[in-house]
Amino acid sequence: MISAGAIIGANARWMISRYAAKILTPIFPYGTLFINVTGSFIVGFFMIWTTERVLVDPHWRLLIVVGFCGAFTTFSSFAFETIAYFEQGQWLLMATNFLTNNFLCLGAALAGMALARVI
């Protein structure tokens, strides 16, 4: 279950990252930001929904949260991109990347949890 989810998550991450760089700009890692926020929302929603709202086989959490979201979200990419901005002296991009990923991902996880509790 974990491997199946990871294959889908890793491929989704690659496609979204490339697409975002193509349609937006490769200057700022919008793809990484979108992926991290979306993945945070999915984990927040799915964990609450499957533990408090509906009864599902625990294998689904392995597929979605551990497999898909584990391969889909890109904390290592976020860390590298942030440090690269630091090394290049691009302080505004570094701070923007750091703050948007952290605050938006925490907010997305909270939103997912809240939505799961009202459904």
Side-chain angles (χ1 to χ4, degrees):
M1 297 297 283
I2 294 169
S3 296
I7 289 168
I8 297 166
N11 283 284
R13 177 179 72 201
W14 181 80
M15 288 186 291
I16 290 169
S17 292
R18 296 301 114 222
Y19 184 70
K22 181 179 177 181
I23 65 165
L24 296 170
T25 177
I27 302 297
F28 186 80
Y30 290 105
T32 302
L33 177 61
F34 175 80
I35 289 163
N36 285 341
V37 172
T38 304
S40 296
F41 178 84
I42 292 169
V43 170
F45 175 84
F46 199 80
M47 288 301 294
I48 295 300
W49 188 61
T50 60
T51 58
E52 296 181 11
R53 306 299 286 176
V54 298
L55 296 175
V56 299
D57 186 317
H59 287 99
W60 284 103
R61 284 192 290 278
L62 293 176
L63 175 76
I64 302 298
V65 175
V66 178
F68 177 80
C69 288
F72 180 64
T73 56
T74 58
F75 192 81
S76 55
S77 296
F78 156 72
F80 176 81
E81 291 158 351
T82 303
I83 295 304
Y85 287 140
F86 172 78
E87 290 182 339
Q88 296 163 10
Q90 296 181 5
W91 313 115
L92 183 58
L93 285 174
M94 181 193 74
T96 300
N97 196 40
F98 180 83
L99 293 171
T100 56
N101 269 281
N102 282 285
F103 286 116
L104 292 177
C105 289
L106 291 172
L110 182 61
M113 295 166 69
L115 180 61
R117 287 187 171 121
V118 299
I119 290 180

